[in-house]
Amino acid sequence: MDKKRNADLSLMRLRSSSAAISDGYRLYMNIFRRVFRSSWIAALVYALAMGVFVNIVITRLPMAAVVQATGQMGNPALQSMLVTTGLFLLGGSILLLAALTVLLSYGFSALGEQLATGSVTAPAKWYGRIDRLALWRTLKAALWLLLVGLVVDAVMAGVAVVAMKFLGRLAGLMLIGGTLLLLLAALLPLAYTIMKYVLTPKSAFLAILKDTYAVGLRHWGGLFIVVLVVSIVNMLLDVVTQMPANILYAANVNSQMGALQGDPLGMPAYMGWMNIVVFTAAGFVQAYVQLSALFPLAYMYGSIETQENERSQAKRRLSKYDDEEKNSVY
């Protein structure tokens, strides 16, 4: 029944960008219950990490921002607070990224099963299942992306130093903005590379990168449309799920500014726990919003693979035809 229902949702089929987006979200909705049963524990861990991280952001970051805005950075009594805030944010970011990586591996696992068998099976146990291969390859892909991100940060830092030192403010900002746009454009083909790497067992990342980067550049327009639309959809859904965070963040900023001027803090004692509960609930919903982004990208990957296979076959046929013509002449 499932194979019949998803008969027109084969990954390896030629599609336009709009078809890749619509079919990707359609498959996600078709198999959502099975994905949920497999990944709900991972989604809960991600939600808890999100709750803790956002609580740190809205309770500690406003104080740091107010300290900087009021020119009290040199105050020894506040420096330890700033250092502790930085360490908390770093630790929370690492925890959140690790939880997100584990969560995304469930999406890659479902896509791999759909690619291999045409359907996604429900887990046998109530606590779901772990696809160790998908988890390991997702983790390695995340580490490679982290390395790329560090390189990009280093390049942008160097450009910013040069721009601010040798150019005026306007020209410097234009150089920084232009460099950032070029880097983002150059990184877009990695969306295809990562998808192929995770869904292709027993492949090395650098070998996949060498074979696929030029292909990704050739299909840059289609990848751009899919990534843009998926980003907009995720952003709109995130705005809804993050609305409590924005409200509580503004309340904490006002409270902290008043505290620095000698007023009482004005926040109830249970605010920290309330933040964690609210943002954990929002994070659980957001987990499945983040997971949905993989499916349109996977269908774009399948469309690119199909186009490249047809292109290779056409080249072979043309080469065979040329050889036959040469042989007939001689």
Side-chain angles (χ1 to χ4, degrees), residues 272-286:
W273 289 109
M274 187 181 74
N275 290 340
I276 293 175
V277 171
V278 169
F279 299 126
T280 297
F284 192 78
V285 176
Q286 191 186 62

Side-chain angles (χ1 to χ4, degrees), residues 56 66 102 123 125 138 178-179 270 307:
I56 293 171
V66 170
V102 174
K125 306 293 185 180
T138 306
T179 303
Y270 58 82
Q307 291 181 58

